[in-house]
Amino acid sequence: MIGTNVAQGASFLSQGQLIAIPTETVYGLAANALSYEAVTEIYRVKNRPKFNPLILHCANIDEAKNYVLEWPEEARLLSNEFWPGSISFLLPKSRLVPDLITAGSSHVVVRVPNHPLTLDLLSRLSFPLAAPSANISNTVSPTTAQHVESSIGSQIGYVLDGGPCSVGVESSIVAFEGSNVVILREGGISQEDITALGIKVKESTRSEIQSPGQLIRHYSTCKPLIIVKNIQEWVNQNPEKSAIALLYEEKEISLPCIVLSKNYNLGEIANSLFRGMREADKSDAEIILAESIKPQGIGRAIADRLDRAQS
Ligand code: TXA
Ligand code: MG
């Protein structure tokens, strides 16, 4: 069932049931993070391996602090600036956080999402919400209530409809190392947004803690997605192939296409990326083409999602 009734959503959650929630990034599949049974159900519905931990969603900064043991100066600066918003923090967990949420890790990822319905919902609850993206594992994340309804709708109590997500790619996930911030997943808040606050960003290396979900193929379309240097050149070289292109600006090409932005606006491209990938999957074409994107600002998150869809 899809609806906009926050009280009804809260009631489902309080009874230990799952609902889908809108956030500014993507829709989440939410459950009472403190209930073993409810969280187990998240892993089952998503077909998510138990070793892939979940983000804890809280109503505000003070609530988030209850679930972690440290609050570095950089976390203070970033949360004051960006929460509610599209950045999540990896920090040592307090004993209130069940091991099922963190897949046994001593660290938990916390965030305060920025959507009026979900903030209202969180403020009514006496527990935080565990919420991965509301898709089956390794498929494209949902950015509308209808995306959720059409994939896992029949398995959950309620889809809280907050309209299309305003950001359209997942939150950035960061860890703290001394006075540096390490970006584990590029997302809605960019490296440039972080350094603008005077915070140093360190490149994430393989030896450091990783977001486990980052190690595997992810965000996959059903059809093969290929990143090419120049779409028209590729078409000229492969005239027999049936393809559809994801475009970052309006231009003439001899191929069906989905225009993600009229004029290479990175925010718009991020916002329509997952919808475009879904649409391309539904088309008659056999292959999805995209050009590589400027690795700047939210462009880094877009590049990351395209790479993972391709690999
Ligand atoms: O924007 C978002 O973050 C969305 C919305 C719904 O809030 N949520 C989301 O969750 O993207 P999910 O589960 O699809 O991605 C969370 C990522 C996964 O790659 C997971 O491995 C990583 O965060 N993660 C979560 N807890 C972790 C932990 N304790 N240690 C390391 N990585 C963690
Ligand atoms: Mg996900």
Side-chain angles (χ1 to χ4, degrees):
M1 190 179 19
I2 297 193
T4 57
N5 189 332
V6 175
Q8 189 164 6
S11 146
F12 273 114
L13 289 166
S14 299
Q15 289 161 34
Q17 295 204 51
L18 306 189
I19 71 163
I21 56 167
T23 84
E24 81 284 15
T25 58
V26 300
Y27 273 74
L29 178 58
N32 175 353
L34 309 182
S35 157
Y36 183 88
E37 290 74 24
V39 175
T40 301
E41 191 62 3
I42 291 183
Y43 283 98
R44 190 188 66 72
V45 168
K46 264 186 77 80
N47 191 20
R48 180 165 173 128
K50 283 265 173 63
F51 59 75
N52 194 359
L54 308 176
I55 299 180
L56 203 66
H57 293 65
C58 299
N60 53 51
I61 297 177
D62 282 338
E63 200 206 319
K65 284 183 182 170
N66 290 330
Y67 299 99
V68 298
L69 294 177
E70 294 165 14
W71 198 251
E73 173 61 10
E74 291 68 32
R76 190 184 69 78
L77 289 169
L78 289 170
S79 60
N80 283 344
E81 183 71 18
F82 298 122
W83 278 6
S86 319
I87 185 165
S88 303
F89 304 158
L90 179 74
L91 287 165
K93 77 177 193 74
S94 80
R95 58 181 177 74
L96 296 176
V97 180
D99 287 335
L100 188 58
I101 299 287
T102 66
S105 161
S106 59
H107 286 59
V108 65
V109 174
V110 291
R111 102 172 180 104
V112 177
N114 190 14
H115 191 288
L117 292 188
T118 291
L119 285 169
D120 181 5
L121 177 72
L122 283 163
S123 73
R124 295 171 190 237
L125 301 171
S126 58
F127 46 81
L129 293 174
S133 50
N135 52 312
I136 308 285
S137 279
N138 298 339
T139 64
V140 179
S141 297
T143 51
T144 66
Q146 289 70 30
H147 293 164
V148 181
E149 181 68 11
S150 64
S151 65
I152 56 170
S154 64
Q155 296 194 65
I156 61 181
Y158 196 60
V159 179
L160 185 59
D161 187 354
C165 300
S166 59
V167 174
V169 292
E170 294 85 349
S171 63
S172 305
I173 302 179
V174 300
F176 302 91
E177 255 192 33
S179 60
N180 294 315
V181 156
V182 182
I183 301 180
L184 302 176
R185 176 175 76 180
E186 301 280 355
I189 298 294
S190 70
Q191 193 171 310
E192 289 87 339
D193 296 330
I194 296 172
T195 52
L197 296 184
I199 297 172
K200 278 182 272 153
V201 172
K202 219 178 118 194
E203 293 289 314
S204 161
T205 59
R206 288 221 150 260
S207 57
E208 278 159 333
I209 350 150
Q210 299 264 347
S211 272
Q214 295 298 80
L215 299 175
I216 45 180
R217 180 173 147 99
H218 222 71
Y219 311 105
S220 310
T221 44
C222 305
K223 297 177 175 163
L225 183 147
I226 308 177
I227 300 167
V228 299
K229 202 154 160 258
N230 182 294
I231 289 177
Q232 190 58 58
E233 267 172 30
W234 189 94
V235 175
N236 298 344
Q237 287 158 9
N238 299 275
E240 76 294 351
K241 297 261 168 68
S242 131
I244 184 164
L246 298 175
L247 296 186
Y248 309 138
E249 58 198 333
E250 278 183 336
K251 60 177 167 191
E252 287 288 308
I253 54 163
S254 58
L255 198 69
C257 58
I258 296 167
V259 181
L260 303 180
S261 166
K262 283 191 171 151
N263 51 4
Y264 216 113
N265 177 310
L266 290 174
E268 274 174 28
I269 298 168
N271 189 271
S272 47
L273 179 68
F274 290 155
R275 177 185 52 71
M277 284 164 74
R278 282 168 188 269
E279 238 177 271
D281 252 343
K282 282 198 193 136
S283 74
D284 297 331
E286 282 159 20
I287 297 172
I288 305 167
L289 298 176
E291 288 178 3
S292 50
I293 195 151
K294 283 186 208 153
Q296 242 173 43
I298 203 167
R300 294 173 211 273
I302 301 167
D304 172 80
R305 304 305 185 269
L306 286 169
D307 276 348
R308 284 173 207 289
Q310 168 178 248
S311 63

